[in-house]
Structures are given as C-alpha cells and as structure tokens.
Amino acid sequence: PDIGFPGRKHPHWKSLGFQGEDPQTDFRGGGVLGLRALLYWAENHSEMARQIINTQPKKVEQQYPVSTAGITISAHLATFLGVKLITLNNKSKPELKGISESPLARALSRSFGRDELDAEGLFFELFSVLMKALDARWKKSGATYFEFNTVLKGLSEELTEILEQEPYYFGVVIKQLQIKT
C-alpha cells in the first residue's frame, strides 16, 4: 500500500505476493473481484496486509504467494456465497446482491451492530478474515509452496463445518477459526 504503481511488468510484483513479474497472469481465477478484494484489504486492513507480507518464512520454499492466495480466496468465497458473474460489454462484473442472504453474512452484519451491511462490505470483510486465517494456518503448518492447495482446502473445509452450525455472531466464526484479533 505504500509504494506507487511500478508498471504492469516489474520485479516488485513478486515482493507483493504475486507469482511473477506480471500480476495479470495471477488474475485468471479471480478476475476483477480478486483485484477489488486485494485493494480493499490493502486499503482497509493495511497493517494486517503489511504484517502478512513482511513476515513470510525465511526459507523461500516455505513462502506462499500472498496476492495470488488472495485471488484464490476471493474466487472460493464467491463460489461459497453464490456470487454470480454478469457480463456487461464483454467484461465480467461480480453481482454481489445475494450475499446478504447467507447465514455467514447475517452473522457478520449482527456483529457490526447493523441489520445488514452492504454486500460488498460483507464480502470484503469476510475476505480479510480469511486472509488472516490462511496466513495463520500456513505459518503453523510449516507447509511448502507446493502444499498451498492442501492448506487452502483445509481452511475451506473448516469454514464449511463452522458455517453448517449457522453461528449467530461473526465472533463465533472468528473464535472457531482460532483467529487472534
């Protein structure tokens, strides 16, 4: 969040958690929604983003591409919450209206002391929590780069189990994911 735009192809993109010097290749799975989620995270949870990026393990093989992970998380979360992609002028735009109907969104809304947050706010806050949860699991597991999908799948399965219980408050979700806030 502190560095200006280095251009589309630049070595700095790797230090921000992309797999290579051209971040465009990492957006195949999450598209515009993945980009918007990363921007929201960097702007609204900048301390968390800095901490996660700057505390990657020293061994390169135990690091994971944080931004690519975020794009993947946004795609998984979109699928989980039933986000639809609509096409406008040959461009895909996420349709986020259905999110507020999910038990998870209702729990998050109650935790913020409102009857309902807007759909984008819900999505991006959930995304931010999951980024923190993934990072905690990654570091605890000592996984290598090649085990990224296994760690992500484990987080997804754990979240599914928690949500099947239809928690009333989002704090319950955070506690069950064992995230320190």
Side-chain angles (χ1 to χ4, degrees), residues 33-76:
L33 185 59
L35 174 62
R36 290 178 59 212
L38 287 170
L39 286 172
Y40 179 91
W41 184 57
E43 291 172 357
N44 294 282
H45 297 279
S46 57
E47 286 302 314
M48 179 197 313
R50 275 189 202 94
Q51 188 266 336
I52 288 173
I53 290 170
N54 292 332
T55 60
Q56 287 291 296
K58 291 186 192 287
K59 292 182 179 179
V60 173
E61 64 272 6
Q62 289 185 314
Q63 296 175 0
Y64 69 98
V66 175
S67 295
T68 304
I71 295 165
T72 304
I73 286 174
S74 71
H76 281 275

mmCIF file of all heavy atoms in Angstrom, residues 33-76:
data_model
loop_
_atom_site.group_PDB
_atom_site.id
_atom_site.type_symbol
_atom_site.label_atom_id
_atom_site.label_comp_id
_atom_site.label_asym_id
_atom_site.label_seq_id
_atom_site.Cartn_x
_atom_site.Cartn_y
_atom_site.Cartn_z
ATOM 1 N N LEU A 33 -12.990 -9.203 -9.314
ATOM 2 C CA LEU A 33 -13.373 -9.365 -7.914
ATOM 3 C C LEU A 33 -12.146 -9.622 -7.045
ATOM 4 O O LEU A 33 -12.013 -9.062 -5.956
ATOM 5 C CB LEU A 33 -14.390 -10.490 -7.749
ATOM 6 C CG LEU A 33 -14.949 -10.685 -6.341
ATOM 7 C CD1 LEU A 33 -15.650 -9.420 -5.842
ATOM 8 C CD2 LEU A 33 -15.919 -11.854 -6.329
ATOM 9 N N GLY A 34 -11.229 -10.434 -7.522
ATOM 10 C CA GLY A 34 -9.990 -10.692 -6.795
ATOM 11 C C GLY A 34 -9.164 -9.428 -6.633
ATOM 12 O O GLY A 34 -8.613 -9.155 -5.556
ATOM 13 N N LEU A 35 -9.083 -8.628 -7.674
ATOM 14 C CA LEU A 35 -8.352 -7.364 -7.609
ATOM 15 C C LEU A 35 -8.997 -6.415 -6.609
ATOM 16 O O LEU A 35 -8.323 -5.820 -5.765
ATOM 17 C CB LEU A 35 -8.290 -6.711 -8.990
ATOM 18 C CG LEU A 35 -7.676 -5.311 -9.040
ATOM 19 C CD1 LEU A 35 -6.229 -5.332 -8.581
ATOM 20 C CD2 LEU A 35 -7.791 -4.752 -10.462
ATOM 21 N N ARG A 36 -10.312 -6.302 -6.675
ATOM 22 C CA ARG A 36 -11.019 -5.405 -5.756
ATOM 23 C C ARG A 36 -10.878 -5.866 -4.312
ATOM 24 O O ARG A 36 -10.754 -5.050 -3.393
ATOM 25 C CB ARG A 36 -12.479 -5.297 -6.167
ATOM 26 C CG ARG A 36 -12.617 -4.512 -7.490
ATOM 27 C CD ARG A 36 -14.030 -4.414 -7.989
ATOM 28 N NE ARG A 36 -14.867 -3.754 -7.013
ATOM 29 C CZ ARG A 36 -16.157 -4.045 -6.850
ATOM 30 N NH1 ARG A 36 -16.729 -4.982 -7.584
ATOM 31 N NH2 ARG A 36 -16.878 -3.409 -5.979
ATOM 32 N N ALA A 37 -10.892 -7.177 -4.088
ATOM 33 C CA ALA A 37 -10.711 -7.701 -2.732
ATOM 34 C C ALA A 37 -9.319 -7.354 -2.197
ATOM 35 O O ALA A 37 -9.176 -6.926 -1.049
ATOM 36 C CB ALA A 37 -10.937 -9.219 -2.712
ATOM 37 N N LEU A 38 -8.296 -7.518 -3.028
ATOM 38 C CA LEU A 38 -6.939 -7.174 -2.608
ATOM 39 C C LEU A 38 -6.803 -5.676 -2.325
ATOM 40 O O LEU A 38 -6.152 -5.280 -1.350
ATOM 41 C CB LEU A 38 -5.923 -7.596 -3.667
ATOM 42 C CG LEU A 38 -5.661 -9.091 -3.781
ATOM 43 C CD1 LEU A 38 -4.822 -9.399 -5.014
ATOM 44 C CD2 LEU A 38 -4.978 -9.623 -2.524
ATOM 45 N N LEU A 39 -7.415 -4.855 -3.159
ATOM 46 C CA LEU A 39 -7.366 -3.404 -2.933
ATOM 47 C C LEU A 39 -8.061 -3.031 -1.625
ATOM 48 O O LEU A 39 -7.542 -2.230 -0.843
ATOM 49 C CB LEU A 39 -8.002 -2.653 -4.099
ATOM 50 C CG LEU A 39 -7.183 -2.596 -5.374
ATOM 51 C CD1 LEU A 39 -8.000 -1.994 -6.515
ATOM 52 C CD2 LEU A 39 -5.909 -1.803 -5.160
ATOM 53 N N TYR A 40 -9.226 -3.599 -1.390
ATOM 54 C CA TYR A 40 -9.952 -3.340 -0.145
ATOM 55 C C TYR A 40 -9.090 -3.737 1.055
ATOM 56 O O TYR A 40 -8.971 -2.991 2.030
ATOM 57 C CB TYR A 40 -11.264 -4.122 -0.133
ATOM 58 C CG TYR A 40 -12.065 -3.918 1.134
ATOM 59 C CD1 TYR A 40 -13.010 -2.906 1.220
ATOM 60 C CD2 TYR A 40 -11.862 -4.726 2.252
ATOM 61 C CE1 TYR A 40 -13.744 -2.707 2.389
ATOM 62 C CE2 TYR A 40 -12.579 -4.525 3.422
ATOM 63 C CZ TYR A 40 -13.513 -3.523 3.484
ATOM 64 O OH TYR A 40 -14.224 -3.323 4.637
ATOM 65 N N TRP A 41 -8.494 -4.911 0.978
ATOM 66 C CA TRP A 41 -7.665 -5.432 2.053
ATOM 67 C C TRP A 41 -6.482 -4.508 2.319
ATOM 68 O O TRP A 41 -6.197 -4.156 3.469
ATOM 69 C CB TRP A 41 -7.210 -6.838 1.672
ATOM 70 C CG TRP A 41 -6.422 -7.578 2.685
ATOM 71 C CD1 TRP A 41 -6.786 -7.866 3.965
ATOM 72 C CD2 TRP A 41 -5.134 -8.171 2.497
ATOM 73 N NE1 TRP A 41 -5.803 -8.610 4.578
ATOM 74 C CE2 TRP A 41 -4.788 -8.807 3.702
ATOM 75 C CE3 TRP A 41 -4.269 -8.244 1.418
ATOM 76 C CZ2 TRP A 41 -3.591 -9.496 3.853
ATOM 77 C CZ3 TRP A 41 -3.082 -8.927 1.566
ATOM 78 C CH2 TRP A 41 -2.747 -9.547 2.773
ATOM 79 N N ALA A 42 -5.808 -4.081 1.267
ATOM 80 C CA ALA A 42 -4.642 -3.207 1.412
ATOM 81 C C ALA A 42 -5.028 -1.831 1.952
ATOM 82 O O ALA A 42 -4.282 -1.245 2.746
ATOM 83 C CB ALA A 42 -3.924 -3.062 0.069
ATOM 84 N N GLU A 43 -6.185 -1.336 1.560
ATOM 85 C CA GLU A 43 -6.606 0.000 1.991
ATOM 86 C C GLU A 43 -7.265 -0.007 3.369
ATOM 87 O O GLU A 43 -7.060 0.926 4.148
ATOM 88 C CB GLU A 43 -7.575 0.594 0.968
ATOM 89 C CG GLU A 43 -6.922 0.928 -0.348
ATOM 90 C CD GLU A 43 -7.899 1.335 -1.433
ATOM 91 O OE1 GLU A 43 -9.131 1.312 -1.199
ATOM 92 O OE2 GLU A 43 -7.428 1.682 -2.525
ATOM 93 N N ASN A 44 -8.021 -1.022 3.698
ATOM 94 C CA ASN A 44 -8.796 -1.036 4.937
ATOM 95 C C ASN A 44 -8.190 -1.891 6.047
ATOM 96 O O ASN A 44 -8.596 -1.772 7.204
ATOM 97 C CB ASN A 44 -10.225 -1.510 4.653
ATOM 98 C CG ASN A 44 -10.951 -0.507 3.795
ATOM 99 O OD1 ASN A 44 -11.405 0.519 4.267
ATOM 100 N ND2 ASN A 44 -11.036 -0.791 2.503
ATOM 101 N N HIS A 45 -7.276 -2.756 5.691
ATOM 102 C CA HIS A 45 -6.594 -3.611 6.669
ATOM 103 C C HIS A 45 -5.094 -3.596 6.364
ATOM 104 O O HIS A 45 -4.453 -4.649 6.313
ATOM 105 C CB HIS A 45 -7.149 -5.037 6.622
ATOM 106 C CG HIS A 45 -8.588 -5.126 6.984
ATOM 107 N ND1 HIS A 45 -9.023 -5.130 8.292
ATOM 108 C CD2 HIS A 45 -9.710 -5.179 6.213
ATOM 109 C CE1 HIS A 45 -10.346 -5.189 8.315
ATOM 110 N NE2 HIS A 45 -10.783 -5.219 7.065
ATOM 111 N N SER A 46 -4.565 -2.398 6.164
ATOM 112 C CA SER A 46 -3.181 -2.258 5.693
ATOM 113 C C SER A 46 -2.161 -2.829 6.682
ATOM 114 O O SER A 46 -1.159 -3.413 6.258
ATOM 115 C CB SER A 46 -2.861 -0.805 5.359
ATOM 116 O OG SER A 46 -3.089 0.028 6.468
ATOM 117 N N GLU A 47 -2.404 -2.688 7.979
ATOM 118 C CA GLU A 47 -1.460 -3.257 8.953
ATOM 119 C C GLU A 47 -1.421 -4.776 8.833
ATOM 120 O O GLU A 47 -0.350 -5.383 8.880
ATOM 121 C CB GLU A 47 -1.822 -2.832 10.376
ATOM 122 C CG GLU A 47 -1.486 -1.388 10.676
ATOM 123 C CD GLU A 47 -0.012 -1.060 10.466
ATOM 124 O OE1 GLU A 47 0.856 -1.842 10.923
ATOM 125 O OE2 GLU A 47 0.271 -0.027 9.839
ATOM 126 N N MET A 48 -2.590 -5.402 8.694
ATOM 127 C CA MET A 48 -2.644 -6.848 8.528
ATOM 128 C C MET A 48 -1.927 -7.255 7.242
ATOM 129 O O MET A 48 -1.139 -8.208 7.241
ATOM 130 C CB MET A 48 -4.098 -7.342 8.470
ATOM 131 C CG MET A 48 -4.231 -8.847 8.285
ATOM 132 S SD MET A 48 -5.861 -9.443 7.737
ATOM 133 C CE MET A 48 -6.992 -8.586 8.785
ATOM 134 N N ALA A 49 -2.197 -6.534 6.167
ATOM 135 C CA ALA A 49 -1.577 -6.864 4.884
ATOM 136 C C ALA A 49 -0.052 -6.757 4.975
ATOM 137 O O ALA A 49 0.673 -7.658 4.529
ATOM 138 C CB ALA A 49 -2.116 -5.949 3.788
ATOM 139 N N ARG A 50 0.434 -5.670 5.557
ATOM 140 C CA ARG A 50 1.884 -5.495 5.723
ATOM 141 C C ARG A 50 2.477 -6.624 6.567
ATOM 142 O O ARG A 50 3.522 -7.178 6.238
ATOM 143 C CB ARG A 50 2.190 -4.170 6.415
ATOM 144 C CG ARG A 50 2.256 -3.004 5.514
ATOM 145 C CD ARG A 50 2.788 -1.777 6.269
ATOM 146 N NE ARG A 50 2.378 -0.584 5.583
ATOM 147 C CZ ARG A 50 1.280 0.110 5.872
ATOM 148 N NH1 ARG A 50 0.490 -0.249 6.856
ATOM 149 N NH2 ARG A 50 0.967 1.185 5.179
ATOM 150 N N GLN A 51 1.802 -6.935 7.668
ATOM 151 C CA GLN A 51 2.314 -7.957 8.582
ATOM 152 C C GLN A 51 2.395 -9.311 7.874
ATOM 153 O O GLN A 51 3.396 -10.016 7.987
ATOM 154 C CB GLN A 51 1.408 -8.034 9.819
ATOM 155 C CG GLN A 51 1.920 -8.915 10.932
ATOM 156 C CD GLN A 51 1.382 -10.328 10.867
ATOM 157 O OE1 GLN A 51 0.323 -10.596 10.304
ATOM 158 N NE2 GLN A 51 2.121 -11.252 11.422
ATOM 159 N N ILE A 52 1.372 -9.661 7.126
ATOM 160 C CA ILE A 52 1.374 -10.947 6.422
ATOM 161 C C ILE A 52 2.457 -10.990 5.353
ATOM 162 O O ILE A 52 3.209 -11.965 5.246
ATOM 163 C CB ILE A 52 -0.025 -11.237 5.829
ATOM 164 C CG1 ILE A 52 -0.993 -11.591 6.969
ATOM 165 C CG2 ILE A 52 0.035 -12.359 4.789
ATOM 166 C CD1 ILE A 52 -2.441 -11.736 6.544
ATOM 167 N N ILE A 53 2.566 -9.936 4.579
ATOM 168 C CA ILE A 53 3.561 -9.906 3.501
ATOM 169 C C ILE A 53 4.976 -9.875 4.064
ATOM 170 O O ILE A 53 5.866 -10.566 3.572
ATOM 171 C CB ILE A 53 3.305 -8.714 2.560
ATOM 172 C CG1 ILE A 53 2.025 -8.967 1.749
ATOM 173 C CG2 ILE A 53 4.491 -8.478 1.622
ATOM 174 C CD1 ILE A 53 1.527 -7.771 0.970
ATOM 175 N N ASN A 54 5.188 -9.095 5.117
ATOM 176 C CA ASN A 54 6.536 -8.904 5.648
ATOM 177 C C ASN A 54 6.998 -10.012 6.592
ATOM 178 O O ASN A 54 8.158 -10.020 6.989
ATOM 179 C CB ASN A 54 6.644 -7.551 6.357
ATOM 180 C CG ASN A 54 6.536 -6.398 5.391
ATOM 181 O OD1 ASN A 54 6.882 -6.517 4.219
ATOM 182 N ND2 ASN A 54 6.039 -5.271 5.865
ATOM 183 N N THR A 55 6.122 -10.930 6.967
ATOM 184 C CA THR A 55 6.528 -11.999 7.883
ATOM 185 C C THR A 55 6.477 -13.375 7.223
ATOM 186 O O THR A 55 6.300 -14.377 7.910
ATOM 187 C CB THR A 55 5.659 -12.004 9.169
ATOM 188 O OG1 THR A 55 4.296 -12.211 8.813
ATOM 189 C CG2 THR A 55 5.823 -10.715 9.954
ATOM 190 N N GLN A 56 6.663 -13.405 5.934
ATOM 191 C CA GLN A 56 6.755 -14.688 5.249
ATOM 192 C C GLN A 56 7.973 -15.446 5.779
ATOM 193 O O GLN A 56 8.970 -14.830 6.187
ATOM 194 C CB GLN A 56 6.896 -14.474 3.742
ATOM 195 C CG GLN A 56 5.622 -14.001 3.061
ATOM 196 C CD GLN A 56 4.577 -15.096 3.049
ATOM 197 O OE1 GLN A 56 4.751 -16.134 2.446
ATOM 198 N NE2 GLN A 56 3.482 -14.859 3.751
ATOM 199 N N PRO A 57 7.921 -16.775 5.805
ATOM 200 C CA PRO A 57 9.073 -17.547 6.292
ATOM 201 C C PRO A 57 10.353 -17.199 5.520
ATOM 202 O O PRO A 57 10.301 -16.804 4.344
ATOM 203 C CB PRO A 57 8.655 -19.000 6.025
ATOM 204 C CG PRO A 57 7.169 -18.960 6.001
ATOM 205 C CD PRO A 57 6.810 -17.629 5.408
ATOM 206 N N LYS A 58 11.479 -17.341 6.192
ATOM 207 C CA LYS A 58 12.768 -17.004 5.564
ATOM 208 C C LYS A 58 13.107 -17.948 4.421
ATOM 209 O O LYS A 58 13.677 -17.548 3.424
ATOM 210 C CB LYS A 58 13.874 -17.011 6.609
ATOM 211 C CG LYS A 58 13.731 -15.872 7.599
ATOM 212 C CD LYS A 58 14.921 -15.819 8.523
ATOM 213 C CE LYS A 58 14.743 -14.948 9.675
ATOM 214 N NZ LYS A 58 14.712 -13.683 9.846
ATOM 215 N N LYS A 59 12.748 -19.226 4.583
ATOM 216 C CA LYS A 59 13.034 -20.192 3.517
ATOM 217 C C LYS A 59 12.066 -19.955 2.358
ATOM 218 O O LYS A 59 10.842 -20.029 2.536
ATOM 219 C CB LYS A 59 12.874 -21.621 4.024
ATOM 220 C CG LYS A 59 13.917 -22.031 5.040
ATOM 221 C CD LYS A 59 13.709 -23.485 5.450
ATOM 222 C CE LYS A 59 14.751 -23.921 6.443
ATOM 223 N NZ LYS A 59 14.532 -25.321 6.858
ATOM 224 N N VAL A 60 12.592 -19.702 1.189
ATOM 225 C CA VAL A 60 11.777 -19.387 0.016
ATOM 226 C C VAL A 60 10.766 -20.491 -0.272
ATOM 227 O O VAL A 60 9.607 -20.218 -0.600
ATOM 228 C CB VAL A 60 12.675 -19.128 -1.226
ATOM 229 C CG1 VAL A 60 11.845 -18.963 -2.483
ATOM 230 C CG2 VAL A 60 13.563 -17.921 -0.991
ATOM 231 N N GLU A 61 11.157 -21.750 -0.092
ATOM 232 C CA GLU A 61 10.240 -22.854 -0.393
ATOM 233 C C GLU A 61 9.068 -22.920 0.585
ATOM 234 O O GLU A 61 8.078 -23.599 0.326
ATOM 235 C CB GLU A 61 10.976 -24.194 -0.456
ATOM 236 C CG GLU A 61 11.609 -24.633 0.834
ATOM 237 C CD GLU A 61 13.034 -24.111 1.058
ATOM 238 O OE1 GLU A 61 13.514 -23.297 0.256
ATOM 239 O OE2 GLU A 61 13.651 -24.518 2.051
ATOM 240 N N GLN A 62 9.138 -22.205 1.720
ATOM 241 C CA GLN A 62 8.037 -22.190 2.679
ATOM 242 C C GLN A 62 7.186 -20.922 2.573
ATOM 243 O O GLN A 62 6.252 -20.750 3.345
ATOM 244 C CB GLN A 62 8.564 -22.354 4.101
ATOM 245 C CG GLN A 62 9.067 -23.752 4.361
ATOM 246 C CD GLN A 62 9.470 -23.940 5.809
ATOM 247 O OE1 GLN A 62 10.152 -23.102 6.386
ATOM 248 N NE2 GLN A 62 9.056 -25.049 6.376
ATOM 249 N N GLN A 63 7.500 -20.073 1.614
ATOM 250 C CA GLN A 63 6.691 -18.881 1.384
ATOM 251 C C GLN A 63 5.537 -19.231 0.461
ATOM 252 O O GLN A 63 5.600 -20.210 -0.278
ATOM 253 C CB GLN A 63 7.546 -17.785 0.741
ATOM 254 C CG GLN A 63 8.667 -17.309 1.625
ATOM 255 C CD GLN A 63 9.571 -16.312 0.932
ATOM 256 O OE1 GLN A 63 9.375 -15.957 -0.227
ATOM 257 N NE2 GLN A 63 10.588 -15.857 1.645
ATOM 258 N N TYR A 64 4.485 -18.451 0.538
ATOM 259 C CA TYR A 64 3.391 -18.608 -0.402
ATOM 260 C C TYR A 64 3.115 -17.260 -1.056
ATOM 261 O O TYR A 64 3.391 -16.218 -0.477
ATOM 262 C CB TYR A 64 2.143 -19.180 0.273
ATOM 263 C CG TYR A 64 1.453 -18.257 1.251
ATOM 264 C CD1 TYR A 64 0.342 -17.505 0.860
ATOM 265 C CD2 TYR A 64 1.883 -18.139 2.559
ATOM 266 C CE1 TYR A 64 -0.298 -16.667 1.759
ATOM 267 C CE2 TYR A 64 1.247 -17.317 3.456
ATOM 268 C CZ TYR A 64 0.158 -16.578 3.052
ATOM 269 O OH TYR A 64 -0.474 -15.740 3.931
ATOM 270 N N PRO A 65 2.586 -17.271 -2.277
ATOM 271 C CA PRO A 65 2.308 -16.004 -2.966
ATOM 272 C C PRO A 65 1.039 -15.371 -2.387
ATOM 273 O O PRO A 65 -0.078 -15.766 -2.704
ATOM 274 C CB PRO A 65 2.135 -16.429 -4.427
ATOM 275 C CG PRO A 65 1.701 -17.851 -4.358
ATOM 276 C CD PRO A 65 2.329 -18.429 -3.121
ATOM 277 N N VAL A 66 1.214 -14.393 -1.502
ATOM 278 C CA VAL A 66 0.118 -13.824 -0.732
ATOM 279 C C VAL A 66 -0.976 -13.257 -1.637
ATOM 280 O O VAL A 66 -2.166 -13.525 -1.429
ATOM 281 C CB VAL A 66 0.639 -12.742 0.244
ATOM 282 C CG1 VAL A 66 -0.508 -12.059 0.966
ATOM 283 C CG2 VAL A 66 1.615 -13.355 1.238
ATOM 284 N N SER A 67 -0.595 -12.476 -2.627
ATOM 285 C CA SER A 67 -1.618 -11.876 -3.502
ATOM 286 C C SER A 67 -2.345 -12.928 -4.313
ATOM 287 O O SER A 67 -3.561 -12.859 -4.487
ATOM 288 C CB SER A 67 -0.991 -10.823 -4.413
ATOM 289 O OG SER A 67 -0.512 -9.745 -3.630
ATOM 290 N N THR A 68 -1.602 -13.903 -4.801
ATOM 291 C CA THR A 68 -2.235 -14.999 -5.535
ATOM 292 C C THR A 68 -3.173 -15.766 -4.614
ATOM 293 O O THR A 68 -4.270 -16.163 -5.019
ATOM 294 C CB THR A 68 -1.164 -15.939 -6.123
ATOM 295 O OG1 THR A 68 -0.285 -15.159 -6.945
ATOM 296 C CG2 THR A 68 -1.776 -17.045 -6.943
ATOM 297 N N ALA A 69 -2.761 -15.940 -3.363
ATOM 298 C CA ALA A 69 -3.636 -16.595 -2.377
ATOM 299 C C ALA A 69 -4.914 -15.789 -2.204
ATOM 300 O O ALA A 69 -6.016 -16.355 -2.120
ATOM 301 C CB ALA A 69 -2.908 -16.738 -1.041
ATOM 302 N N GLY A 70 -4.797 -14.462 -2.150
ATOM 303 C CA GLY A 70 -5.974 -13.602 -2.019
ATOM 304 C C GLY A 70 -6.927 -13.742 -3.189
ATOM 305 O O GLY A 70 -8.152 -13.779 -3.014
ATOM 306 N N ILE A 71 -6.380 -13.830 -4.368
ATOM 307 C CA ILE A 71 -7.218 -14.007 -5.562
ATOM 308 C C ILE A 71 -7.952 -15.341 -5.479
ATOM 309 O O ILE A 71 -9.151 -15.431 -5.752
ATOM 310 C CB ILE A 71 -6.356 -13.914 -6.843
ATOM 311 C CG1 ILE A 71 -5.789 -12.497 -6.972
ATOM 312 C CG2 ILE A 71 -7.165 -14.306 -8.075
ATOM 313 C CD1 ILE A 71 -4.651 -12.380 -7.973
ATOM 314 N N THR A 72 -7.240 -16.375 -5.057
ATOM 315 C CA THR A 72 -7.843 -17.698 -4.909
ATOM 316 C C THR A 72 -8.929 -17.683 -3.836
ATOM 317 O O THR A 72 -10.012 -18.242 -4.020
ATOM 318 C CB THR A 72 -6.760 -18.739 -4.579
ATOM 319 O OG1 THR A 72 -5.762 -18.711 -5.601
ATOM 320 C CG2 THR A 72 -7.346 -20.131 -4.465
ATOM 321 N N ILE A 73 -8.634 -17.034 -2.700
ATOM 322 C CA ILE A 73 -9.623 -16.935 -1.631
ATOM 323 C C ILE A 73 -10.863 -16.202 -2.112
ATOM 324 O O ILE A 73 -11.994 -16.609 -1.817
ATOM 325 C CB ILE A 73 -9.023 -16.264 -0.379
ATOM 326 C CG1 ILE A 73 -8.092 -17.254 0.319
ATOM 327 C CG2 ILE A 73 -10.108 -15.765 0.578
ATOM 328 C CD1 ILE A 73 -7.327 -16.663 1.487
ATOM 329 N N SER A 74 -10.689 -15.114 -2.860
ATOM 330 C CA SER A 74 -11.869 -14.378 -3.343
ATOM 331 C C SER A 74 -12.709 -15.242 -4.268
ATOM 332 O O SER A 74 -13.941 -15.209 -4.203
ATOM 333 C CB SER A 74 -11.471 -13.064 -4.023
ATOM 334 O OG SER A 74 -10.839 -13.285 -5.256
ATOM 335 N N ALA A 75 -12.061 -16.047 -5.104
ATOM 336 C CA ALA A 75 -12.807 -16.939 -6.005
ATOM 337 C C ALA A 75 -13.552 -18.012 -5.206
ATOM 338 O O ALA A 75 -14.724 -18.295 -5.482
ATOM 339 C CB ALA A 75 -11.858 -17.583 -7.014
ATOM 340 N N HIS A 76 -12.882 -18.606 -4.200
ATOM 341 C CA HIS A 76 -13.539 -19.608 -3.356
ATOM 342 C C HIS A 76 -14.703 -18.992 -2.583
ATOM 343 O O HIS A 76 -15.775 -19.589 -2.483
ATOM 344 C CB HIS A 76 -12.549 -20.224 -2.364
ATOM 345 C CG HIS A 76 -11.661 -21.263 -2.946
ATOM 346 N ND1 HIS A 76 -12.031 -22.580 -3.051
ATOM 347 C CD2 HIS A 76 -10.412 -21.187 -3.466
ATOM 348 C CE1 HIS A 76 -11.052 -23.267 -3.606
ATOM 349 N NE2 HIS A 76 -10.063 -22.445 -3.870
#
